[in-house]
């Protein structure tokens, strides 16, 4: 799945992303990292923090890893987002379900430093597995609100 996600087109062939797999045997360490970061940030939702680390059999932390280049950072960020979406498409194509979450942890420097280094940023936490219950579809916008035909100018 990661190999498919990494085939995302990007201007300049920079691959401005990294995937870090958190294996099942490292989930306790990840949960402890989140708990420490949550306490340091004054958070009180410790049960949710604990559950976050273990909510699916597979966990991939994706980082935006900008490359010094004439290619604008904006294009590199877009490419990282496309790679993230391709990871989810690959999971679903292989018969799994995937979720892309950020929450506070994606923006916490302590958590980021456990997976990368400045100027890298966490794109998200990707939880992949087989759903235990039917997935609930979230509300989607009406097509007329997000798509239109160009009338010329």
């Amino acid at each position: 799945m990661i190999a498919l996600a990494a085939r995302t087109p990007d201007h300049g062939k920079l691959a401005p992303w990294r995937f870090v797999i958190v294996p099942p045997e490292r989930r306790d360490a990840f949960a402890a990292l989140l708990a420490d970061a949550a306490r340091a940030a004054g958070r009180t939702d410790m049960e949710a923090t604990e559950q976050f680390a273990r909510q699916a059999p597979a966990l991939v932390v994706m980082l935006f890893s900008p490359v010094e280049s004439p290619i604008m950072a904006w294009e590199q960020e877009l490419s990282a987002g496309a790679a993230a979406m391709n990871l989810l498409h690959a999971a679903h194509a292989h018969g799994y379900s995937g979720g892309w979450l950020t929450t506070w942890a994606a923006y916490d420097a302590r958590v980021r430093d456990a997976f990368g280094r400045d100027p890298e940023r966490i794109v998200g936490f990707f939880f992949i597995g087989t759903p235990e219950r039917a997935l609930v579809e979230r509300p989607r916008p009406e097509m007329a609100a997000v798509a239109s035909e160009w009338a010329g100018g």
Side-chain angles (χ1 to χ4, degrees):
M1 289 183 259
I2 290 173
L4 290 171
R7 290 188 50 84
T8 297
D10 71 284
H11 191 179
K13 301 179 184 86
L14 302 175
W17 57 77
R18 292 191 312 108
F19 302 95
V20 181
I21 300 165
V22 181
E25 65 272 13
R26 300 297 303 152
R27 294 299 178 88
D28 288 343
F30 180 53
L33 165 69
L34 290 175
D36 288 346
R39 277 191 288 279
R43 301 190 64 82
T44 58
D45 52 349
M46 299 311 287
E47 185 176 328
T49 298
E50 175 75 19
Q51 291 173 351
F52 185 82
R54 296 181 175 84
Q55 62 184 291
L59 169 57
V60 178
V61 179
M62 185 180 171
L63 296 154
F64 168 56
S65 187
V67 177
E68 188 66 37
S69 165
I71 307 303
M72 294 173 30
W74 169 242
E75 288 192 44
Q76 294 185 43
E77 288 181 71
L78 290 172
S79 185
M85 194 67 234
N86 280 344
L87 178 59
L88 291 180
H89 286 309
H92 288 267
H94 280 86
Y96 299 103
S97 183
W100 175 356
L101 300 176
T102 50
T103 75
W104 65 270
Y107 305 100
D108 186 274
R110 182 182 301 224
V111 176
R112 190 278 318 273
D113 290 349
F115 293 97
R117 63 205 167 285
D118 193 41
E120 291 180 315
R121 294 192 316 258
I122 294 176
V123 172
F125 302 93
F126 294 81
F127 295 92
I128 300 169
T130 303
E132 294 178 355
R133 61 186 180 280
L135 300 175
V136 177
E137 180 65 23
R138 70 171 71 185
R140 304 295 179 184
E142 294 293 325
M143 279 297 106
V146 296
S148 63
E149 184 175 304
W150 185 59

